[in-house]
Amino acid sequence: MELTAAVVEDRISEYPDVQPLSAVEAEHVELLPKLFASGDYGWRDPEWVVQWYGRRFLGAMPNADRRELEAAYDENDYEAVHDAISAAVEADDAAEMLSHLTALSGVGVEVGSAFCQFIDPERYVVVDERQWSALREAGAFDGIEDLDAPYPNPPTVATYERYLERYRSIADRCGCSLWDLYRALWVLAGDTR
């Protein structure tokens, strides 16, 4: 299925029906960028991003893996988390953001990309196997080196940058935000039509 503005718009409207976390996600997409930019947040705000990364899969990510990820993140102290997020907020690009974020325990490129998304959802989006597979299935990666392949688990920073570039291009072509494209792809990835 080709990703068009109509397909994206149609699937966005279905997102709340397939993702029970949609309301709380919408709140956090609005709230977290402001909090992270101001530096005025507590432990639970960035912790929510880590929890969101695994819990949005609603059981598809094994519970033991999710708990291991969350426990590794919990090894960080608040000051280290705050410093990494502050540096990421000031960074000029994804590679620089991720260099700060992935210095944290439990934060690889995937969870780091989730932080990027909630720091600046107009410029960044999370990378994960579900999004990757939906884009691949739609032919969005055809002929693009390193992208037209199975999901690289885990992705490298360079792969994330190419993925992000392609994601932005598709969102631009479809006249939607990255967050809207994310929601449409989430629905498409589970679409059995």
Side-chain angles (χ1 to χ4, degrees):
M1 170 181 293
E2 184 181 350
L3 288 173
T4 64
V7 167
V8 169
E9 187 175 323
D10 186 47
R11 294 313 186 275
I12 291 168
S13 68
E14 298 172 21
Y15 186 72
D17 297 331
V18 298
Q19 178 49 272
L21 299 177
S22 65
V24 72
E25 286 174 338
E27 290 172 10
H28 282 81
V29 165
E30 290 297 317
L31 176 69
L32 289 181
K34 296 170 194 160
L35 291 179
F36 290 154
S38 73
D40 187 23
Y41 53 86
W43 174 259
R44 287 184 176 202
D45 297 309
E47 181 184 45
W48 182 89
V49 175
V50 176
Q51 292 171 343
W52 171 83
Y53 183 84
R55 294 178 184 188
R56 67 199 162 105
F57 292 106
L58 306 172
M61 175 184 243
N63 192 42
D65 293 350
R66 183 185 55 76
R67 287 180 182 267
E68 183 179 329
L69 170 70
E70 292 174 8
Y73 175 79
D74 286 343
E75 293 173 7
N76 296 296
D77 63 36
Y78 175 75
E79 290 76 22
V81 171
H82 198 278
D83 290 349
I85 292 173
S86 294
V89 166
E90 297 300 321
D92 292 325
D93 58 31
E96 187 180 355
M97 290 177 87
L98 289 169
S99 73
H100 298 293
L101 294 165
T102 59
L104 296 170
S105 180
V107 179
V109 170
E110 294 161 311
V111 174
S113 71
F115 272 106
C116 292
Q117 174 176 284
F118 287 102
I119 288 170
D120 188 351
E122 293 180 17
R123 293 182 55 213
Y124 300 98
V125 69
V126 69
V127 63
D128 61 51
E129 188 169 5
R130 185 178 178 117
Q131 293 289 301
W132 186 283
S133 297
L135 285 167
R136 220 174 142 222
E137 183 70 28
F141 292 160
D142 288 352
I144 301 174
E145 187 178 337
D146 294 342
L147 298 181
D148 191 13
Y151 182 68
N153 192 11
T156 64
V157 171
T159 301
Y160 175 67
E161 289 179 307
R162 284 189 293 282
Y163 163 87
L164 181 60
E165 181 181 332
R166 185 66 181 135
Y167 213 102
R168 287 171 175 164
S169 171
I170 295 164
D172 206 37
R173 180 173 47 86
C174 292
C176 67
S177 69
L178 297 178
W179 179 243
D180 285 345
L181 182 56
Y182 166 85
R183 294 183 298 155
L185 289 171
W186 186 272
V187 173
L188 283 170
D191 209 341
T192 58
R193 291 175 231 199

